[in-house]
Amino acid sequence: MNASSSETISWSDFEKVAIAVGTVIRAEVNEQARKPALKVWVDFGPYGEKKTSAQIAALYRPEEIVGRQVIGVINFPAKQIGAFMSEFLLTGFPTDDGVVLAAVERPVPNGTRLA
């Protein structure tokens, strides 16, 4: 899909994607990733703690994101990234400088789903 076109989806299609907010509780450099990445653990409230490897190391250091609320897709199947099992997709926007994390405008309870 390119930037000038997108496929129309139904509301029921959108509802299948579990996009939720959570708070980063731990982060560290993923030394085993092929591209610069961080291992990130997030508390998604009622959905539990989930971890991921995200290519956000160009713009973020681990200590900068701990305590920050982030947005993740939490119902993709787990994916092996080197020796690390990634359990959700951390959302962001690719730029020439690196991936900019998607964020909430003000605090919301962990586990709140995007609507």
Side-chain angles (χ1 to χ4, degrees), residues 2 6 16-17 20 22-23 27 41-42 50-51 53-56 61 67-68 71-72 80-82 96 101 105 108 113:
N2 63 42
S6 61
K16 291 176 189 174
V17 183
T23 301
W41 288 261
V42 175
K50 296 184 180 289
K51 62 186 177 182
S53 178
Q55 294 176 2
I56 60 171
R61 294 189 320 270
R68 179 178 180 152
I71 300 166
Q80 191 77 40
I81 309 288
D96 290 341
L101 289 172
E105 184 263 333
V108 296
R113 297 244 335 238

Side-chain angles (χ1 to χ4, degrees), residues 31-93:
E31 303 287 351
Q32 300 164 338
R34 286 186 216 138
K35 295 182 181 178
L38 299 182
K39 295 178 183 177
V40 182
W41 288 261
V42 175
D43 175 4
F44 284 106
Y47 301 105
E49 181 183 313
K50 296 184 180 289
K51 62 186 177 182
T52 193
S53 178
Q55 294 176 2
I56 60 171
L59 295 179
Y60 302 95
R61 294 189 320 270
E63 61 274 13
E64 292 176 319
I65 64 170
V66 172
R68 179 178 180 152
Q69 284 198 303
V70 294
I71 300 166
V73 178
I74 60 172
N75 65 335
F76 279 134
K79 181 178 179 181
Q80 191 77 40
I81 309 288
F84 191 75
M85 186 61 71
S86 190
E87 301 170 329
F88 77 97
L89 174 70
L90 185 60
T91 61
F93 300 92

